[in-house]
Amino acid sequence: MKKLLLLTLLLVGALSLAACEGEEVEGPEGPQGPEGPAGEEGPEGPEGPQGPEGPAGEDGEDGEAGLSAFEMYVEEVGYEGTETEWLADLAEGNLAEHLVSDFELSADTDDVTFIPGTPSEFGIMIDAVEGNHIGMDDLTLTASVEGGSATLTYDEESLKDGVAIEALGADAAEAWDVEAIFDDLGVHTITLTLEDSEGEEVDELEFDVSVIEGASVYAFDYDEDLTFEPETEQTFDLTFMAEYVNNWGYDNAYFNVSAPDGTNLAIDDEDILEDGEGTFLYDEDDEEGVEIAHDFEETYSVDLEFPVSGVHTVTFELYDADAGEVVETFTMDFATYEETVSIEDALAMDSGESVVVEAQVVDHFTNRYFTLQDDTGAISAFDSNSLVSGDIAIGDTLYLEAEVEEIFGLTRLSGFVFGDITTEADEETTRPDPVTVDLGSDAFDVDWGDEDEDYADLEEYMSHRLSMDHVLIKEVEYWPAPSDQVDLVFEDPETGQEITARYDNSVGDADVVDMLEDLEAGMLVNVEGATLFWDEYPQLRIGSGFDNLEVVSEYNMTVAEFVNHEEVEDLDGESVLVEGFVTRVTDDGVYIQDPEENRGLFVEGSTGLDVGDHVTLLGDLKVETFYGNRTLTLEYEDTLITEDDTVEVEPVTAYTAEELADNHPYTESLYAAAADMEVIRVSEQQGVFFVEGGEHDFRIELTDEFSDVAVGDELTLEFIVGDIFHDSIRLLHVEETELDDNGEATETLSFNVDDTGMSSYDSSEQTFTVEGYEFGYVDFMDQQGWMQGSNGEGELYNKDAFTDIEEIVVTLGTDQGEDMIVYAGDSENPGSDDTTISEDRDGDDFTFDFSGDTYEYFTLFADSAIQVDEIEVTYVD
């Protein structure tokens, strides 16, 4: 083994050693460990274990270099090339045939029968596994036997004194036959020892063999895939074989045959065994029997006919007439099947009728219940006498004769007559997919367990495996031993309808138990593969065919409970349920607020909700921190519950700037109001100003469009609270802005056809007055309740100046008029030479935004036959 360690090091460090051969180097730690003591000069290392650091000892200063890797390789292997050629061969893998790490012995004696004095053969093998040691020149295999004398012959050479074997290359394997002759009965231990050329043991293998009395081996071979129908004759071939083992047999032997009562059995058409017993001989010419020779084989034609369905056993006994005893007994099982009906047809039969079905076992509960399914439907089976269910597995195809039974108007099978597994499930067996149902649907709105209840709507789901998405666990109840069962109450979040699923651990399915053991009330789950069937009344069962129970969310809280949660950071990325009511709807999502406390949360994503909806939402919680302030966002996935108690949303309270900051020290999406906020400083940044807040002056940033404010203005706002910092409040989606007399109040002027007094189209200018403002128009008229503009010529404008026009909204009377132009300017009746105001259309509403500058006049051009229902002008007086 020393040689193997040396060569391991050689190959690992070959290239680096070759590069530094003969140099004097300081050895930091020679691999030889304690054998290399400090000295003035380290010993010259002929064995070379010190590697590329040189042969110096642990504390050696300047050790002399030992043999290089190339020199060691030449010495051990006899390499005849130059060092350059050796390096090239090593790099290109040309020396791989020398690289083996280990040898393994194995012997094959499993199916060998050893009889005293009779030669028997078994196989031995030597495997050489590739590694990183140089191979051995030769090997010797030695054998010894304990427990009695024996002769082992290997390749015509005795193994007792050892046999030389030529060297094996890398990843090689050699196999030989060994002939063994044992003199004594009993258990013998054979030891094989593999040694290398230096006498060191490479591998050793011990195994036991049993030497027994000789006996003849007899066997039957017949077709096991035959299908019988009752009272229908089938023919098959029966082959009898006697295998050679030793030198004796039976001088006078024949067969007794027995079969179920009423079975007709004939062999070679000679003996009809109607009474279930009879004899047939191997030699038709010798009615007293015949010696069964070694290596005997004879095939007979057999006719069988069974009177009834079932698994029938036919027994053959080999009888030694001289000894007067049965020598061997052989049995053969045959199944007979009546014609089957579909599950759909079975479900339509009356209670008490007999039925035969063949279908797949899709679920199994306790030790008496299982369900069957074919392409037409599913049916439950109640095994009152354990005829089959103790042996069946999920996925097996089962042939079943039973009686139709009705329980509360629903159909199942019971009263089994006969059952047999016709096809056993394997890894490739598949089952029908579960049926996805809505627990909140009308079909499941029943009073479970009430025998007067009408369960007819559940008929289509009976005995099917079902899947339910997004149901709540309302209750988990573990029953004490000996019942050892678990009841899970599932609830539809929207309707509150419930159903109980029961798991009975007598099924003994560890995978199902693992799914159930950590469940708690309040969890939102997806259920896949629970079966609806009946036991006195319809119920949901979790059996061995259960697929999965996926926990969608473990967290079910109100907005305030999440916002106030001490460890909410740990919930970042978790799927959660949040209850609240909607305070505002935006293009990006909605804001929801706690039903009881003043806490808010932004929900990101399209929800289809309206302001005031009381909801429970599912989504992923996103927890972020900005400048030390936390923000919570729910990334919307689904709306689980929309409560009936829709609320009238109002701001939660009115705050001063100081109160707002004091009461809400971190980010919230709260719908609130702030009153009596006096502006003390205005920033150059649009929408940013400062208000007085007690000890601090607070910076307010409005993210929506907002009119200019001036120092001294007192504000009343409705808004969503955004980021709240020590001296800054960011307000989102401001609903209302009111300024006191110190500021500029915005007013709105609206007029329709009743305000104008228009009569007819006229190219001359006409006027009308609304709320003290005079307007002019050309080619407009009052027609059928609208202000009608003529095609391409109508215009409408103000003759009295506004201080500052903020916005004009035009509502059409009909959905027509794609082209409408508004000009703005500082003189009466602006035209194309003035500013064109862009439009933003939403259905019949055209909005023209004037906030980019200060304008006193506008002109509306009707570039088509526009019918106007209303015009609203927002302005500063």
Side-chain angles (χ1 to χ4, degrees), residues 749 751 773-775 798-805 808 854-858 873-877:
L749 179 148
F751 55 90
Y773 285 90
E774 186 177 18
F775 295 83
N798 61 311
K799 297 177 70 63
D800 294 327
F802 296 110
T803 301
D804 183 10
I805 302 173
I808 294 178
T854 301
Y855 302 103
E856 299 177 10
Y857 294 88
F858 74 90
V873 181
T874 302
Y875 63 99
V876 177
D877 187 6

Side-chain angles (χ1 to χ4, degrees), residues 438-441 469-472 490-498 641:
D438 180 6
L439 180 57
S441 65
D469 291 337
H470 290 175
V471 292
L472 291 168
F490 296 119
E491 179 184 57
D492 177 69
E494 185 71 28
T495 64
Q497 290 178 189
E498 300 176 2
I641 305 173

Side-chain angles (χ1 to χ4, degrees), residues 194-220:
L194 188 66
E195 296 180 349
D196 63 15
S197 58
E198 296 182 0
E200 294 190 14
E201 182 181 304
V202 175
D203 195 18
E204 184 177 88
L205 175 66
E206 288 187 355
F207 55 93
D208 293 335
V209 298
S210 296
V211 182
I212 62 175
E213 288 283 3
S216 294
V217 179
Y218 303 95
F220 266 123

Side-chain angles (χ1 to χ4, degrees), residues 176-187:
W176 301 271
D177 291 332
V178 176
E179 185 177 79
I181 301 175
F182 294 91
D183 299 328
D184 304 316
L185 298 174
V187 177

